[in-house]
Amino acid sequence: MKEPVMPGAVPNPLRNVLDRRLPRIAGPSVLVLFGVTGDLARKKLLPAIYDLANRGLLPPGFGLVGFARRDWVDQDFAQLAYEAVKEHARTPFREDVWRQLSEGMRFVQGELGDDASFDELARCVRQLDADRGTGGNYAFYLSLPPKLFPTVVKQLRRSGLAESEGEAWRRVIIEKPFGHDLESAKELNAVVDDVFPPQSVFRIDHYLGKETVQNIMALRFANTLFEPIWNRGYVDHVQITMAEDIGVGGRAGYYDGIGAARDVIQNHLLQLLALVAMEEPISFTADAIRAEKEKALSAVTLPEDLSRGTARGQYAAGWQGGTPVIGYLDEEGIPADSGTDTYAAIKLGVNTRRWAGVPFYLRTGKRLGRRVTEVALVFQSAPQQVFGQTETEELGANSLVLRIQPDEGVTLRFGSKVPGASMEVRDVSMDFTYGQSFTEASPEAYERLILDVLIGDPPLFPRQEEVELSWRILDPIEEYWAKNGRPEQYESGTWGPSSAHEMMARDGRQWRRP
Ligand SMILES: NC(=O)C1=CN([C@@H]2O[C@H](COP(=O)(O)OP(=O)(O)OC[C@H]3O[C@@H](n4cnc5c(N)ncnc54)[C@H](OP(=O)(O)O)[C@@H]3O)[C@@H](O)[C@H]2O)C=CC1
Ligand SMILES: O=C1O[C@H](COP(=O)(O)O)[C@@H](O)[C@H](O)[C@H]1O
């Protein structure tokens, strides 16, 4: 409902800003976590829930229900959560916070396809609701292998859990990847859409919960400094890098057959591209932001020749931090003849007045030189170099690097005269680093996103249109790869296959060395 405006009242431009600074606290609610024994729940979700409680952002009567197949009771779940919190939480351990949280924790053992398991879950949730006074507000987090999403959504309806009464709400949180191509994404959406209204569906892309990713909009639209040069008149090209030093670890079952491009380009990297390429939204509402991201994604173009504008690889044995590591094909659970990519690089265009002709190079990979995610705008070189010698990393180009992780911040690189008698210019950096500029700590991405779901605040969650537009970009590339041989092997600990470097060299450019 719109707030009534007094006749003659002067609108206060700070109102919106002040509202955003108020502490945002979740109301009474129960969170049901499917897949609670999994990797994501243990490393990220359970610690994030504890951190929210520790920061006073969860109500005292908050309820948490874990669901998985193993033969556990409430105490086993509490023990798992305790260990996860001790190992991975960001805030210090406080006995009183833990006690209050664990009093509201329950475990339900069951099979997702089994009606009786869901009837037991419904009974447990309703009992917890009554005990803790959570007002019938339930959120369901699907931290599961993606093929199980439709089963759970259907079971939520069958068991009556999806249905709310009166003022109470129901929300469903769906982990990525949302489908494995355009067609399956549409099928999944049809199932979800049948059970939950669009405003109750929260599709998680945890990159949008990262402070530094949210800062892309602040950097662009809260300043006058960058926007005038944020276009084809000044930018030569954009590089978006998400490099990991880890291998596939214990996630073979999920990763093999999915690969690097579906795992992170379809979601995280295309969301970064959208935030860099989009126009300013007319407001910071979910609809306005999503609409601008969708326009940017609709304008994305593929390289004319996919053999020259894409590259993919698979890690072979090598060295990581001085330790020998095995190749992808020797990882546990990976078929010896797997053709799954663990590295992918793609050159895209954005066909708008702002970006026409500016290439966006996206790359991601596992077992690369180091863990780093960054967005680099590489600017055109000065029209003429009056100074004899320029020793620069990007051949004399200035760059603005948004350091998403680690060492979060922003770097501006430009040429400066080297002190001394000669007129030599060398690249230097001007740095903004979160840790040095703010005393406030950044919440973990999942902490922010879980809180937003419990509050019902949707701007940081992509809607179905964005998911579909991203699959439209990736599907032709995956089809091309499927028909054109195996990924090229690259040594672990290096910066990916030689075809990715050749792709840049053909354009007279090179990948940045992060
Ligand atoms: N791990 C990560 O770093 C990230 C994961 N994600 C996404 O999060 C989701 C979960 O991933 P992750 O935690 O790694 O996966 P895991 O394989 O580690 O965990 C899967 C969970 O699902 C449960 N499960 C599997 N089958 C069934 C079934 N038939 N009935 C009931 N429970 C079942 C397992 O429980 P049990 O075996 O005990 O029954 C386990 O708790 C995926 O969608 C993934 O894409 C997203 C970003 C990062
Ligand atoms: O979504 C995913 O992200 C993680 C990396 O997340 P980050 O926050 O540590 O950058 C990646 O390892 C995983 O394969 C992928 O599913």
Side-chain angles (χ1 to χ4, degrees), residues 176 206-207 210 242 244 246 251 254 263-264 268 366 371 405:
K176 56 151 274 276
H206 77 276
Y207 264 59
K210 291 183 191 274
M242 178 187 166
E244 295 187 277
I246 54 168
R251 297 178 69 216
Y254 157 73
D263 186 36
V264 300
H268 307 330
K366 293 207 182 279
R371 174 175 183 253
Q405 65 187 23

CSV table of all heavy atoms in Angstrom, one decimal, residues 176 206-207 210 242 244 246 251 254 263-264 268 366 371 405, ligand 2:
chain,number,residue,atom,x,y,z
A,176,LYS,N,20.8,-23.0,-7.5
A,176,LYS,CA,21.2,-23.1,-8.9
A,176,LYS,C,21.8,-24.5,-9.1
A,176,LYS,O,22.2,-25.1,-8.1
A,176,LYS,CB,22.2,-22.0,-9.3
A,176,LYS,CG,23.4,-22.0,-8.4
A,176,LYS,CD,24.6,-21.5,-9.1
A,176,LYS,CE,25.4,-22.6,-9.8
A,176,LYS,NZ,26.3,-23.4,-9.0
A,206,HIS,N,24.2,-17.1,-5.5
A,206,HIS,CA,24.8,-16.5,-4.3
A,206,HIS,C,25.8,-15.4,-4.6
A,206,HIS,O,26.1,-14.6,-3.8
A,206,HIS,CB,25.4,-17.6,-3.4
A,206,HIS,CG,26.8,-18.1,-3.9
A,206,HIS,ND1,26.9,-19.1,-4.9
A,206,HIS,CD2,28.0,-17.8,-3.6
A,206,HIS,CE1,28.2,-19.3,-5.1
A,206,HIS,NE2,28.9,-18.6,-4.3
A,207,TYR,N,26.2,-15.3,-5.9
A,207,TYR,CA,27.0,-14.1,-6.2
A,207,TYR,C,26.3,-12.8,-6.0
A,207,TYR,O,26.9,-11.8,-5.7
A,207,TYR,CB,27.5,-14.2,-7.7
A,207,TYR,CG,28.9,-14.9,-7.7
A,207,TYR,CD1,29.1,-16.1,-7.1
A,207,TYR,CD2,30.0,-14.2,-8.1
A,207,TYR,CE1,30.4,-16.7,-7.1
A,207,TYR,CE2,31.3,-14.7,-8.1
A,207,TYR,CZ,31.5,-16.0,-7.5
A,207,TYR,OH,32.7,-16.5,-7.4
A,210,LYS,N,26.9,-11.3,-2.6
A,210,LYS,CA,28.2,-10.8,-2.3
A,210,LYS,C,28.2,-9.3,-2.2
A,210,LYS,O,27.7,-8.6,-3.2
A,210,LYS,CB,29.3,-11.3,-3.2
A,210,LYS,CG,29.5,-12.8,-3.1
A,210,LYS,CD,30.6,-13.3,-4.1
A,210,LYS,CE,30.7,-14.8,-4.2
A,210,LYS,NZ,31.5,-15.4,-3.1
A,242,MET,N,36.3,-15.8,-13.1
A,242,MET,CA,36.1,-16.5,-11.9
A,242,MET,C,37.0,-17.7,-11.9
A,242,MET,O,36.7,-18.7,-12.5
A,242,MET,CB,34.6,-16.9,-11.8
A,242,MET,CG,34.3,-17.7,-10.5
A,242,MET,SD,32.6,-18.4,-10.5
A,242,MET,CE,32.8,-19.5,-9.1
A,244,GLU,N,39.1,-20.6,-9.8
A,244,GLU,CA,39.2,-21.4,-8.5
A,244,GLU,C,40.5,-22.2,-8.5
A,244,GLU,O,40.9,-22.7,-9.6
A,244,GLU,CB,38.0,-22.3,-8.4
A,244,GLU,CG,36.7,-21.5,-8.3
A,244,GLU,CD,35.6,-22.5,-8.0
A,244,GLU,OE1,35.0,-23.1,-8.9
A,244,GLU,OE2,35.2,-22.6,-6.8
A,246,ILE,N,40.6,-24.8,-6.3
A,246,ILE,CA,40.1,-26.1,-5.9
A,246,ILE,C,39.7,-27.0,-7.1
A,246,ILE,O,39.4,-26.4,-8.2
A,246,ILE,CB,38.9,-26.1,-5.0
A,246,ILE,CG1,37.8,-25.2,-5.6
A,246,ILE,CG2,39.3,-25.6,-3.6
A,246,ILE,CD1,36.5,-25.3,-4.9
A,251,ARG,N,32.3,-33.4,-5.1
A,251,ARG,CA,31.0,-33.1,-5.8
A,251,ARG,C,30.9,-33.7,-7.2
A,251,ARG,O,30.2,-33.2,-8.1
A,251,ARG,CB,30.9,-31.6,-5.9
A,251,ARG,CG,30.8,-30.9,-4.5
A,251,ARG,CD,30.8,-29.4,-4.6
A,251,ARG,NE,29.5,-28.9,-5.2
A,251,ARG,CZ,29.4,-27.9,-6.0
A,251,ARG,NH1,30.5,-27.2,-6.4
A,251,ARG,NH2,28.3,-27.5,-6.5
A,254,TYR,N,27.5,-34.3,-8.8
A,254,TYR,CA,26.8,-33.1,-9.3
A,254,TYR,C,27.5,-32.6,-10.5
A,254,TYR,O,26.9,-32.3,-11.6
A,254,TYR,CB,26.8,-32.0,-8.2
A,254,TYR,CG,26.6,-30.6,-8.8
A,254,TYR,CD1,25.4,-30.2,-9.3
A,254,TYR,CD2,27.7,-29.7,-8.8
A,254,TYR,CE1,25.2,-28.9,-9.9
A,254,TYR,CE2,27.6,-28.5,-9.4
A,254,TYR,CZ,26.3,-28.1,-9.9
A,254,TYR,OH,26.2,-26.8,-10.4
A,263,ASP,N,27.8,-24.6,-14.7
A,263,ASP,CA,27.9,-24.5,-13.3
A,263,ASP,C,28.0,-23.0,-12.9
A,263,ASP,O,27.3,-22.6,-12.0
A,263,ASP,CB,29.1,-25.2,-12.8
A,263,ASP,CG,29.3,-25.2,-11.3
A,263,ASP,OD1,28.2,-25.3,-10.6
A,263,ASP,OD2,30.4,-25.2,-10.7
A,264,VAL,N,28.7,-22.2,-13.6
A,264,VAL,CA,28.9,-20.8,-13.1
A,264,VAL,C,28.7,-19.7,-14.2
A,264,VAL,O,28.4,-18.6,-13.9
A,264,VAL,CB,30.2,-20.6,-12.4
A,264,VAL,CG1,30.3,-21.5,-11.2
A,264,VAL,CG2,31.4,-20.8,-13.3
A,268,HIS,N,26.4,-17.1,-12.4
A,268,HIS,CA,27.2,-16.0,-11.7
A,268,HIS,C,27.8,-15.1,-12.8
A,268,HIS,O,27.7,-13.9,-12.6
A,268,HIS,CB,28.3,-16.6,-10.9
A,268,HIS,CG,27.9,-17.7,-9.9
A,268,HIS,ND1,26.7,-17.7,-9.3
A,268,HIS,CD2,28.6,-18.8,-9.4
A,268,HIS,CE1,26.6,-18.7,-8.5
A,268,HIS,NE2,27.8,-19.4,-8.5
A,366,LYS,N,38.4,-24.5,-12.8
A,366,LYS,CA,38.8,-25.1,-11.5
A,366,LYS,C,40.3,-25.4,-11.7
A,366,LYS,O,40.8,-25.6,-12.8
A,366,LYS,CB,38.0,-26.4,-11.2
A,366,LYS,CG,36.6,-26.0,-10.9
A,366,LYS,CD,35.9,-27.0,-10.0
A,366,LYS,CE,34.5,-26.7,-9.7
A,366,LYS,NZ,34.2,-25.7,-8.7
A,371,ARG,N,42.7,-18.6,-6.5
A,371,ARG,CA,41.3,-18.2,-6.4
A,371,ARG,C,41.1,-16.7,-6.6
A,371,ARG,O,41.6,-16.0,-5.8
A,371,ARG,CB,40.8,-18.7,-5.1
A,371,ARG,CG,39.3,-18.3,-4.8
A,371,ARG,CD,38.8,-18.9,-3.5
A,371,ARG,NE,37.4,-18.5,-3.3
A,371,ARG,CZ,37.0,-17.6,-2.4
A,371,ARG,NH1,37.8,-17.0,-1.6
A,371,ARG,NH2,35.7,-17.4,-2.3
A,405,GLN,N,36.5,-11.0,-5.1
A,405,GLN,CA,37.0,-11.9,-4.1
A,405,GLN,C,38.4,-12.5,-4.5
A,405,GLN,O,38.5,-12.6,-5.7
A,405,GLN,CB,36.1,-13.0,-3.6
A,405,GLN,CG,35.9,-14.0,-4.7
A,405,GLN,CD,34.8,-15.0,-4.4
A,405,GLN,OE1,33.9,-14.8,-3.6
A,405,GLN,NE2,34.9,-16.1,-5.1
B,2,LIG,O1,28.1,-21.9,-7.5
B,2,LIG,C1,29.2,-22.4,-7.3
B,2,LIG,O2,30.2,-21.6,-6.7
B,2,LIG,C2,31.3,-22.2,-6.1
B,2,LIG,C3,32.3,-21.0,-5.9
B,2,LIG,O3,31.7,-20.1,-5.0
B,2,LIG,P1,32.5,-18.9,-4.4
B,2,LIG,O4,31.6,-18.1,-3.6
B,2,LIG,O5,33.6,-19.6,-3.5
B,2,LIG,O6,33.2,-18.2,-5.5
B,2,LIG,C4,31.9,-23.2,-7.0
B,2,LIG,O7,33.0,-23.8,-6.4
B,2,LIG,C5,30.9,-24.2,-7.4
B,2,LIG,O8,31.4,-25.2,-8.3
B,2,LIG,C6,29.7,-23.6,-8.0
B,2,LIG,O9,28.6,-24.6,-8.0
